[in-house]
Amino acid sequence: MTQRKLIIDCDPGVDDVLALLLALNTPTCSVAVISLCFGNIGVTTSVRNVVATFKVLESERQYRTKHKLPLLPYHLHNSPDDNSTWPIVALGSTAPVSSRRTVGAEFFHGVDGLGGVHESAPQFSPSESYILPFYYPKTLAADQVITREQVIRDAKGYIPTPRPSWREILRILREEPEDTITIVAIAPLSNIARAALEDPATFSRVKEVICMGGNIDIPGNMTPFAEFNFYADVDAAAIVLATTSRTPSSTLPPSTIAVATSFHGATEDSEYSPVKLYLFPLDVTSRHRLRKHWFVRRCAGWLDTTSVTKVHPGESPLATWMTVWLSAAFGRMEHLVSFDGGSRDRAADQADGVNGAYIEMHDPLTMYFAIASDEERKVSFTVAENMDIRLETIGQWTWGMCVLDRRGIAKRDPHEPRPARDDVGWLDNTKGNRVNLVVDGPGSHAFGMKLLDRVLGDLEGE
């Protein structure tokens, strides 16, 4: 199988970190860039969680080596002494492209994005100087420059850069062969939109964009009509969806058309071509859950259940660290679903054939599609192709809503007569977006087991 090359744009967050661990432990994938965006938390907190992830993975390498346990796939393909396979980590947008609204998800993920793990288990956290390599030396004091160089030398598993992440994305797309890079977008789409606006021709060299966002036939998780990632930067989401169109201007939000003059559309003399985009809405991601007892059972014998705040002999650093923030997420989810009188819980229990605490796997499911082989995608996922999905960017109550033409009228070529008035191009074959909508996946239990197996690896010694 050809190795997939990924750019991951994220806002870590609980399920973002699970998605990162899934990608990093997939031997058939290489992660070129981890791009950070505001969203669940701010970008400086996000990068702290990414650096902590690599610190824990290195501790896990030492632990497994010491106890003669099988290494994770990540360890086998990423040497601590050779940075040629390490991903670049870059900070991106701190606010929406339009700056019209700013939201966060600390209410679920906690103020640090991982349920307070940096306070309750500080041994897994990086030092406060972790942030310095992400700033240019000329912006720092002399003593900070010295510390910055030391942090860069000591970094294991990742390469920090002060370059804005959307420019790092464009650099990779220019340097790598066309149609070889997959962008996995599991945060608000600000960085992806900035890259597309800055250089549409280079952006269109991407093989595919796989995006978690929106909701089609179920309520949103921010408002009755909107999902978090699309709601957090509605203009960015509309811009990225418009990259799938032969005429992007037909669906660009009014607030951004003035700055999107480089989007001329696909013509014979244009270097721009429509982007292939797969969308994972809440409709499919919320049906894929990770159950608490699946995780606890998977880690049985690897944890000292008397404490999660310090490492004990024979205890996996990765399993311990994950237990801290997953426990917080399981607890928070139990609190949230209690507001509907338990109907959401009962429906999930019936679907999974089991009850108990769970979290919804929005980002890991999206990542699983990105790392899956073409054959596995066909077997495990159902996709509705070329859907004209547009985004509401003006409505007072419907901000961030995904809009589809549900009239059942086929699109027509421009010269063909219309059976209905068509002022905004819903029936014009040359206008509108072309989104590949993922409508079904492998199911909670099958996916949950694959996720845990991949992330935690073989738990049996020699």
Side-chain angles (χ1 to χ4, degrees), residues 89-305:
V89 177
L91 274 62
S93 301
T94 59
V97 294
S98 66
S99 298
R100 289 194 282 165
R101 296 185 187 181
T102 302
V103 297
E106 294 88 349
F107 66 91
F108 179 79
H109 295 272
V111 293
D112 68 353
L114 291 175
V117 70
H118 297 294
E119 181 176 339
S120 58
Q123 72 273 16
F124 299 120
S125 302
S127 66
E128 292 299 321
S129 57
Y130 75 92
I131 195 66
L132 295 178
F134 299 95
Y135 294 101
Y136 287 103
K138 64 183 180 181
T139 66
L140 302 174
D143 60 329
Q144 289 178 315
V145 172
I146 296 173
T147 304
R148 178 183 185 273
E149 295 305 312
Q150 185 61 50
V151 173
I152 292 174
R153 287 193 296 269
D154 292 343
K156 296 292 185 183
Y158 69 100
I159 301 172
T161 179
R163 187 182 295 111
S165 69
W166 61 90
R167 296 207 170 113
E168 197 64 40
I169 290 171
L170 289 171
R171 182 186 68 80
I172 294 294
L173 290 174
R174 288 189 196 102
E175 293 179 358
E176 295 293 331
E178 189 170 0
D179 293 328
T180 62
I181 298 294
T182 292
I183 294 177
V184 188
I186 51 178
L189 291 168
S190 313
N191 293 330
I192 312 304
R194 291 181 195 278
L197 289 174
E198 187 164 308
D199 191 341
T202 294
F203 185 76
S204 68
R205 290 170 57 85
V206 70
K207 177 183 179 181
E208 58 190 359
V209 176
I210 302 172
C211 170
M212 189 279 132
N215 52 295
I216 307 300
D217 292 317
I218 67 171
N221 57 5
M222 282 298 290
T223 74
F225 302 103
E227 175 273 334
F228 176 82
N229 283 345
F230 280 13
Y231 185 87
D233 194 343
V234 65
D235 288 336
I239 290 166
V240 173
L241 293 186
T243 66
T244 68
S245 177
R246 292 166 60 189
T247 52
S249 59
S250 66
T251 63
L252 283 172
S255 61
T256 61
I257 287 178
V259 298
T261 55
S262 53
F263 270 133
H264 299 302
T267 61
E268 290 184 3
D269 59 350
S270 172
E271 295 183 359
Y272 165 84
S273 59
V275 168
K276 177 184 284 188
L277 184 144
Y278 292 91
L279 182 64
F280 277 75
L282 289 178
D283 306 56
V284 63
T285 63
S286 62
R287 297 201 307 268
H288 289 77
R289 294 165 288 267
L290 178 64
R291 291 285 179 170
K292 180 178 180 179
H293 86 268
W294 293 344
F295 174 73
V296 172
R297 185 176 61 191
R298 187 68 174 78
C299 294
W302 276 59
L303 297 171
D304 185 319
T305 56

Side-chain angles (χ1 to χ4, degrees), residues 210-422:
I210 302 172
C211 170
M212 189 279 132
N215 52 295
I216 307 300
D217 292 317
I218 67 171
N221 57 5
M222 282 298 290
T223 74
F225 302 103
E227 175 273 334
F228 176 82
N229 283 345
F230 280 13
Y231 185 87
D233 194 343
V234 65
D235 288 336
I239 290 166
V240 173
L241 293 186
T243 66
T244 68
S245 177
R246 292 166 60 189
T247 52
S249 59
S250 66
T251 63
L252 283 172
S255 61
T256 61
I257 287 178
V259 298
T261 55
S262 53
F263 270 133
H264 299 302
T267 61
E268 290 184 3
D269 59 350
S270 172
E271 295 183 359
Y272 165 84
S273 59
V275 168
K276 177 184 284 188
L277 184 144
Y278 292 91
L279 182 64
F280 277 75
L282 289 178
D283 306 56
V284 63
T285 63
S286 62
R287 297 201 307 268
H288 289 77
R289 294 165 288 267
L290 178 64
R291 291 285 179 170
K292 180 178 180 179
H293 86 268
W294 293 344
F295 174 73
V296 172
R297 185 176 61 191
R298 187 68 174 78
C299 294
W302 276 59
L303 297 171
D304 185 319
T305 56
T306 63
S307 173
V308 293
T309 60
K310 57 184 178 179
V311 177
H312 296 267
E315 185 177 64
S316 160
L318 178 60
T320 303
W321 182 63
M322 289 177 64
T323 297
V324 178
W325 45 266
L326 279 175
S327 295
F330 288 132
R332 185 58 182 161
M333 192 68 183
E334 284 183 304
H335 175 70
L336 290 175
V337 299
S338 67
F339 283 104
D340 66 2
S343 62
R344 187 174 178 180
D345 257 342
R346 289 191 292 273
D349 293 347
Q350 184 176 10
D352 292 349
V354 68
N355 53 23
Y358 66 88
I359 53 177
E360 294 169 349
M361 293 287 92
H362 308 296
D363 297 342
L365 183 70
T366 307
M367 184 65 73
Y368 181 58
F369 182 86
I371 65 175
S373 66
D374 292 341
E375 182 60 31
E376 191 169 7
R377 288 184 180 185
K378 292 177 182 177
V379 171
S380 299
F381 294 91
T382 303
V383 180
E385 298 181 343
N386 296 321
M387 301 288 289
D388 187 0
I389 300 174
R390 308 185 189 186
L391 211 62
E392 177 56 65
T393 63
I394 299 175
Q396 180 180 3
W397 311 117
T398 56
W399 171 287
M401 177 182 179
C402 291
V403 182
L404 293 80
D405 187 347
R406 301 178 188 271
R407 294 174 295 178
I409 305 174
K411 288 180 177 289
R412 285 159 168 75
D413 290 333
H415 65 276
E416 293 182 305
R418 306 286 196 277
R421 185 165 176 167
D422 192 33

